[in-house]
Amino acid sequence: TSLSDAYTDPQTGITSLVAGDTLLWCAREDGAAHTVPASPGYIDIPTTGTITLCIKIIGCNSTGVDDGTKIVLTGASAATYGFRAWGTKSYIAYKNFECKLFTGAGFVWNGQCVGWRVINCDAHHNGTNGFHGNYYLNECFFFKCKAYNNTGAGFLVGNSGYSIILFMCESYLN
């Protein structure tokens, strides 16, 4: 509820979320990246929102203001994924995140995921794809996201047969 009683471990904060919650993930004052540990190797999204009560995970500056500051997650070439949604996880929003140097994808969805919003997020220099949700995303919206210098595709999100919108996004050198 305030910076004074904040979670020190982002995974603990994310695990506590329920439909309708918003988690502000503040940047470190020194500007350093958050290193995702090799085990388990990802930040897990364990819960789901609803169509009227979306869960929001928002990166913000060190004082808790959403000013577009990106939270940098690095796999340090040891962790598998940045954010991972395994199984049916729906109506969740990511905003202001950068995932880099993962052995797999920066952002991955593997399950029937509906109604996701990904805003101002970047994925680069990852071992597979930047954003990977092939066959699993439905009615999802990407806005002002960038995918570059990934070994695989920038956005592997379009083979699901459902509606995926990429608006003002960039993909290059993948």
Side-chain angles (χ1 to χ4, degrees):
T1 58
S2 72
L3 292 178
S4 63
D5 65 353
Y7 294 103
T8 56
D9 170 36
Q11 184 65 67
T12 302
I14 290 169
T15 300
S16 72
L17 295 174
V18 296
D21 281 353
T22 298
L23 180 129
L24 296 178
W25 185 333
C26 296
R28 293 172 43 156
E29 288 183 354
D30 62 5
H34 174 82
T35 300
V36 176
S39 179
Y42 47 81
I43 301 291
D44 191 42
I45 306 301
T47 190
T48 191
T50 68
I51 195 166
T52 57
L53 295 170
C54 182
I55 292 173
K56 297 174 214 76
I57 303 169
I58 300 172
C60 58
N61 68 23
S62 62
T63 63
V65 175
D66 175 7
D67 63 355
T69 298
K70 288 188 177 135
I71 302 301
V72 179
L73 301 179
T74 179
S77 299
T80 311
Y81 306 117
F83 282 110
R84 181 188 94 149
W86 225 252
T88 302
K89 306 292 187 313
S90 297
Y91 303 104
I92 298 176
Y94 295 138
K95 184 178 181 188
N96 303 333
F97 287 95
E98 176 182 342
C99 291
K100 65 179 186 174
L101 298 173
F102 291 94
T103 60
F107 296 80
V108 66
W109 295 266
N110 190 356
Q112 296 302 316
C113 299
V114 177
W116 280 72
R117 291 169 245 172
V118 184
I119 302 163
N120 195 33
C121 291
D122 298 345
H124 59 92
H125 294 91
N126 294 299
T128 60
N129 306 307
F131 298 86
H132 183 97
N134 200 22
Y135 300 108
Y136 299 107
L137 294 175
N138 185 13
E139 300 173 9
C140 296
F141 179 74
F142 292 80
F143 178 68
K144 292 180 72 174
C145 296
K146 291 181 189 174
Y148 56 94
N149 287 17
N150 297 291
T151 302
F155 293 88
L156 187 60
V157 297
N159 290 336
S160 63
Y162 299 107
S163 59
I164 308 295
I165 298 171
L166 285 87
F167 185 71
M168 295 179 63
C169 295
E170 299 177 58
S171 180
Y172 52 92
L173 300 174
N174 294 292

